Amino acid sequence: MDAHEVIRRLGGTAPYDVVVTHATQASLRRAVREGRVLRLSRGVYGLPELPVPAAAAAAVRGVVSHVSAARIHGLRVPTAPSSVHVTVRPGARPPVLPQVTVHWSRLAPSDVTDGVTTVLRTVLDCALTLPFGEAVAVADSALAEQMLVKSDLIVAAYAQPPRRRGRCVRVAEAADGGADTMFESFTRALLVDAGVGGFVTQLPVLLPGFTVHVDLGDPYRRVAVEAEGFEYHSDKVAFARDCERYTELAAADWLVCRFTWAQVRFRPEWVVDVVRRTRGLRAPQPRRHLATPRVATGVS
């Protein structure tokens, strides 16, 4: 059998000894010379049409994982990875390849599908290796897309080995599928991480004639936090709508804090301080004009 066909039938990658079991060495050399097969690393061959993460994982005899797996699953990743993340078995000695980050961990068969860690395993791995805000954004998107159920995520987090458990549990408990965007997830995580809790994601507020959903709302102090992405305010209609929205919120006795992505990313201490000071202007009061909220994790 032709070496290219052997590798194709094996899923796109194969070790040398498996290839030459079904094809001749001459066939393999010819396929490599013609560019129909690539030598990914010593003793590992693959097809040139392989996606980059899959090729990198095959080259080190591992599986795509962490943020690279998150991107494959379509989860929200605040920062694009600069390398392909791959997990190999403990004790493995993979070749050192440029732009490949290797993690050593024991994976159960149920942790991997088609050479990529599952959504659940990926969220837990990201909880362990990413900054808290980015890990929460990944977990939020898995819940929002109904790829995971929060109770399952929490159970899996508590079942992790002791060295992984603390960070995994913290992210799982903070995760909220109600977040509408990655920016909202990151902003909420920033406040939770600072011990500023009591906010509800996409809180509905009844105003005269219509209802608005604030990104984060404290229903007992009537304080809203809005994560302002430029793409939602880039035309006259959107600008006019937002002016009406915030004017009506002010008339309904709401205090609104509005932050840009750059402020949340690069001035986090200031963002937290402003929210704390704004909440401090109001003593908790009975809820009114609100739907029943889901209070986010944190310290009020």
Side-chain angles (χ1 to χ4, degrees):
M1 189 182 297
D2 178 68
H4 177 278
E5 180 63 15
V6 170
I7 296 172
R8 187 189 68 78
R9 293 190 182 190
L10 291 172
T13 65
Y16 171 82
D17 55 350
V18 174
V19 177
V20 298
T21 298
H22 303 283
T24 65
Q25 295 180 5
S27 173
L28 178 59
R29 286 196 297 270
R30 183 170 58 254
V32 171
R33 186 171 59 251
E34 294 172 352
R36 295 184 297 118
V37 170
L38 300 178
R39 183 178 182 272
L40 300 178
S41 66
R42 183 176 181 180
V44 181
Y45 293 83
L47 302 183
E49 57 266 30
L50 276 176
V52 172
V60 298
R61 304 194 184 206
V63 300
V64 183
S65 62
H66 296 76
V67 288
S68 297
R71 289 175 68 86
I72 289 174
H73 290 304
L75 303 179
R76 302 168 188 157
V77 180
T79 303
S82 58
S83 62
V84 178
H85 288 254
V86 177
T87 294
V88 300
R89 59 178 175 78
R93 299 179 66 182
V96 177
L97 300 177
Q99 294 186 309
V100 176
T101 299
V102 176
H103 305 265
W104 284 262
S105 185
R106 196 175 306 281
L107 295 172
S110 59
D111 288 332
V112 181
T113 301
D114 296 330
V116 182
T117 52
T118 61
V119 172
L120 177 58
R121 176 69 193 216
T122 298
V123 169
L124 295 173
D125 284 341
C126 288
L128 192 69
T129 56
L130 291 180
F132 180 67
E134 297 189 19
V136 168
V138 171
D140 279 2
S141 62
L143 298 181
E145 296 299 325
Q146 299 183 344
M147 297 180 184
L148 290 179
V149 176
K150 179 162 181 172
S151 58
D152 293 341
L153 177 59
I154 291 176
V155 168
Y158 274 100
Q160 294 298 296
R163 66 182 180 82
R164 293 170 56 98
R165 187 178 305 139
R167 294 185 67 169
C168 289
V169 167
R170 189 160 177 258
V171 169
E173 291 184 338
D176 188 334
D180 197 39
T181 66
M182 175 186 67
F183 186 8
E184 292 175 27
S185 296
F186 201 86
T187 303
R188 189 185 81 259
L190 172 64
L191 297 176
V192 170
D193 196 33
V196 181
F199 284 99
V200 179
T201 58
Q202 289 298 307
L203 179 72
V205 180
L206 302 180
L207 298 174
F210 61 99
T211 299
V212 301
H213 289 77
V214 295
D215 294 340
L216 295 170
D218 181 337
Y220 302 104
R221 290 180 171 83
R222 303 174 72 76
V223 173
V225 174
E226 293 281 80
E228 301 288 20
F230 175 75
E231 63 272 20
Y232 298 107
H233 310 89
S234 56
D235 59 57
K236 292 181 179 180
V237 174
F239 180 68
R241 183 178 63 243
D242 281 350
C243 284
E244 179 182 1
R245 167 191 174 95
Y246 296 119
T247 299
E248 288 285 1
L249 282 169
D253 197 30
W254 277 80
L255 299 176
V256 182
C257 301
R258 305 173 68 185
F259 301 109
T260 66
W261 172 248
Q263 290 167 339
V264 172
R265 266 306 232 179
F266 303 113
R267 301 179 62 192
E269 296 85 1
W270 173 76
V271 170
V272 171
D273 179 61
V274 167
V275 174
R276 278 199 175 118
R277 284 189 282 124
T278 303
R279 291 178 80 239
L281 297 174
R282 292 274 176 81
Q285 52 191 291
R287 187 169 66 244
R288 51 180 174 168
H289 306 306
L290 297 172
T292 302
R294 296 172 292 103
V295 179
T297 304
V299 180
S300 59

